[in-house]
Amino acid sequence: MSLADDLTGKGIDEPVNKGSIDLTPDGATVNNVVVDSPIFDDWTPVFELFKLDAAVFEVVDDTVRCSTWQQSARTADGDRDIVQLYSYSARFRRVTRDVIPQATVDAWRTALIQDRPTGPESEVAPAGDAGTYLMLVADPQLGKKGTEEAVENWKRGVRAHLEAAKSLGDQITHIHIAFMGDETENVVNSYGNQPHTIELNRSQQLELDFDMRVWTFKEAAKLNKKLSASSVWSNHGLWTRNGGKDPVTTHSDNASTHIARQTKKLFDELAPFGGPQIDWTIGDVSPGVQIELSGVECYFSHGYIEKGRGGSSELRTKSAIERQILGKTEELGTTSLWLMAHYHHYYSQEFEGRTLFGCPALEAEKSSEYMLDQYGVWSPPGMLGMVVTDSVDRGWAHLNVF
């Protein structure tokens, strides 16, 4: 039913023009579309008239034109009444942030079903069980200068850690893969000249991140261990920033956790066909996620929101953790392992029975030119991994950076 028919059915004597919409690959232009209630932020009533999904579009600021008038209508009892109508014209851009090309998903689904990597039903290792091998994927920043090297760093780290886990035999019953943020570089507003330094556009970055995560689980499934995974927000994962700082929407509207959800969706669909089952923890309402691995309480965060005081990034992060514990003692007071990224180098600190680990970056060596040029500092790329188990006093053992 058209809007004109609908309004006529409500007793409006003269049908009104439904208006039109012009679609392009980049967006849409709405021309004089009439609705019977004002539009504030939700354009769903307009797009529903053309059987389109409003979530795919966002309005371009300063392009909205609106007019309104009253029109005679007949009530149910035959009396006359007045109805207010509204006509809108506006331009819209397509929102591409939630789109992983279907061809990419289909190709991985086909490959994984054919290979049929199998494993036991996944669950996080309970206390008293053998250990969990923890692998931390941090700061590859795919799409920035040196992307090819970053991909090789990621692959080298995964293969080396899986080989280390395999060598431990039955000491390892679970593998946990923690995605620590900044998996992609983004394309604008992280710093001034970012659009001029990237090698991949946003779509290409997201697709490569998706491919690498799927590949990682495909490799991990070959060990026939129980699998779990986590993913957290990150600063380069913010879709768009206002003034180079705050996100336009929310911190949780983030590329890092979005690609995690897409990867989860793929493996959930593959599970009935014999694919590996993965137990996921994906950050939603806060920057960090808490998970118990083999009886050890762990906290994972990218580390860009937690800010404390001190003369170095390590001391500031430690100070931030102590403040977090004071403010959330019931939630965090017994957490013994704290895993952070963001600062692109490996470090560790022990304090009051806790251990803080900072992850090295997987980005290409010396590709953070700002830090190199301004401070002369750089760290070799690598992937941190370790065994987490409550069978040792500190809760961790067999630490490696590959």
Side-chain angles (χ1 to χ4, degrees), residues 370-378:
Y370 174 83
M371 296 297 292
L372 182 63
D373 293 341
Q374 184 166 4
Y375 301 109
V377 298
W378 62 277

Side-chain angles (χ1 to χ4, degrees), residues 69-127:
W69 66 95
Q70 292 181 334
Q71 190 159 322
S72 178
R74 185 175 56 255
T75 63
D77 58 8
D79 293 336
R80 309 300 300 175
D81 200 356
I82 298 297
V83 65
Q84 194 81 21
L85 299 179
Y86 304 83
S87 174
Y88 286 93
S89 298
R91 286 193 295 111
F92 298 81
R93 65 175 68 89
R94 289 187 186 270
V95 180
T96 59
R97 60 175 176 257
D98 290 331
V99 178
I100 293 293
Q102 191 60 41
T104 302
V105 176
D106 290 344
W108 273 112
R109 181 181 290 109
T110 300
L112 286 166
I113 289 175
Q114 289 173 347
D115 291 346
R116 299 179 76 85
T118 59
E121 267 191 39
S122 177
E123 59 182 23
V124 175

Side-chain angles (χ1 to χ4, degrees), residues 33 35 37-47 64 66 86 88:
V33 172
V35 291
S37 60
I39 292 174
F40 298 101
D41 297 316
D42 184 5
W43 290 86
T44 300
V46 169
F47 286 98
V64 178
C66 174
Y86 304 83
Y88 286 93

Side-chain angles (χ1 to χ4, degrees), residues 131-145:
T132 297
Y133 198 99
L134 170 63
M135 300 161 50
L136 299 120
V137 178
D139 297 280
Q141 293 186 217
L142 302 172
K144 74 182 294 184
K145 179 181 178 181

Side-chain angles (χ1 to χ4, degrees), residues 121-125 175-177 217 226-230 264 268 276-282 291:
E121 267 191 39
S122 177
E123 59 182 23
V124 175
I175 294 174
H176 184 89
I177 301 169
F217 288 113
K226 294 181 179 181
L227 297 177
S228 59
S230 57
K264 178 182 184 300
D268 286 349
Q277 296 191 24
I278 305 165
D279 185 79
W280 283 89
T281 305
I282 300 175
I291 309 168

Side-chain angles (χ1 to χ4, degrees), residues 18-21 30-31 33 45-53:
K18 178 180 177 180
S20 63
I21 188 168
V30 167
N31 308 294
V33 172
V46 169
F47 286 98
E48 281 183 343
L49 293 172
F50 304 97
K51 302 187 185 307
L52 295 172
D53 182 2

Side-chain angles (χ1 to χ4, degrees), residues 42-350:
D42 184 5
W43 290 86
T44 300
V46 169
F47 286 98
E48 281 183 343
L49 293 172
F50 304 97
K51 302 187 185 307
L52 295 172
D53 182 2
V56 178
F57 301 91
E58 61 184 6
V59 69
V60 177
D61 292 339
D62 301 324
T63 67
V64 178
R65 291 185 293 109
C66 174
S67 60
T68 184
W69 66 95
Q70 292 181 334
Q71 190 159 322
S72 178
R74 185 175 56 255
T75 63
D77 58 8
D79 293 336
R80 309 300 300 175
D81 200 356
I82 298 297
V83 65
Q84 194 81 21
L85 299 179
Y86 304 83
S87 174
Y88 286 93
S89 298
R91 286 193 295 111
F92 298 81
R93 65 175 68 89
R94 289 187 186 270
V95 180
T96 59
R97 60 175 176 257
D98 290 331
V99 178
I100 293 293
Q102 191 60 41
T104 302
V105 176
D106 290 344
W108 273 112
R109 181 181 290 109
T110 300
L112 286 166
I113 289 175
Q114 289 173 347
D115 291 346
R116 299 179 76 85
T118 59
E121 267 191 39
S122 177
E123 59 182 23
V124 175
D129 202 349
T132 297
Y133 198 99
L134 170 63
M135 300 161 50
L136 299 120
V137 178
D139 297 280
Q141 293 186 217
L142 302 172
K144 74 182 294 184
K145 179 181 178 181
T147 292
E148 184 176 350
E149 182 182 336
V151 169
E152 289 307 310
N153 291 340
W154 185 329
K155 289 184 175 180
R156 181 192 66 247
V158 167
R159 288 172 175 144
H161 282 298
L162 290 178
E163 189 63 32
K166 183 178 179 180
S167 71
L168 293 170
D170 292 340
Q171 296 179 60
I172 302 300
T173 57
H174 294 68
I175 294 174
H176 184 89
I177 301 169
F179 296 99
M180 299 297 292
D182 281 7
E183 291 82 10
T184 54
E185 165 70 358
N186 216 324
V187 297
V188 69
N189 284 341
S190 298
Y191 45 86
N193 67 336
Q194 189 177 22
H196 305 283
T197 63
I198 58 171
E199 297 181 347
L200 302 177
N201 65 30
R202 179 173 285 156
S203 295
Q204 292 168 328
Q205 291 180 25
L206 296 177
E207 289 176 42
L208 181 55
D209 181 16
F210 180 75
D211 284 351
M212 289 301 298
R213 297 198 202 204
V214 173
W215 173 85
T216 299
F217 288 113
K218 187 176 178 181
E219 293 296 300
K222 295 177 181 178
L223 267 62
N224 199 35
K225 307 290 185 181
K226 294 181 179 181
L227 297 177
S228 59
S230 57
S231 183
V232 296
W233 314 340
S234 64
N235 52 306
H236 281 264
L238 296 172
W239 293 111
T240 310
R241 293 179 169 191
N242 282 318
K245 185 178 180 182
D246 296 321
V248 169
T249 53
T250 63
H251 286 282
S252 62
D253 185 17
N254 204 280
S256 292
T257 47
H258 167 67
I259 297 300
R261 288 190 293 270
Q262 300 303 307
T263 308
K264 178 182 184 300
K265 184 188 299 183
L266 174 65
F267 281 98
D268 286 349
E269 293 175 355
L270 287 169
F273 300 96
Q277 296 191 24
I278 305 165
D279 185 79
W280 283 89
T281 305
I282 300 175
D284 184 17
V285 298
S286 63
V289 298
Q290 295 171 255
I291 309 168
E292 184 176 301
L293 301 177
S294 295
V296 179
E297 294 184 36
C298 305
Y299 180 94
F300 299 87
S301 179
H302 184 64
Y304 77 110
I305 292 180
E306 297 90 343
K307 298 185 186 300
R309 297 177 180 176
S312 67
S313 57
E314 294 93 332
L315 291 175
R316 287 190 291 272
T317 303
K318 174 179 177 289
S319 170
I321 290 171
E322 290 172 332
R323 290 184 178 189
Q324 291 282 335
I325 294 170
L326 284 174
K328 303 177 181 178
T329 304
E330 187 173 343
E331 300 172 44
L332 301 174
T334 57
T335 301
S336 56
L337 292 188
W338 297 74
L339 296 308
M340 302 282 186
H342 187 56
Y343 292 107
H344 289 221
H345 65 279
Y346 167 74
Y347 64 89
S348 65
Q349 288 192 54
E350 291 187 313

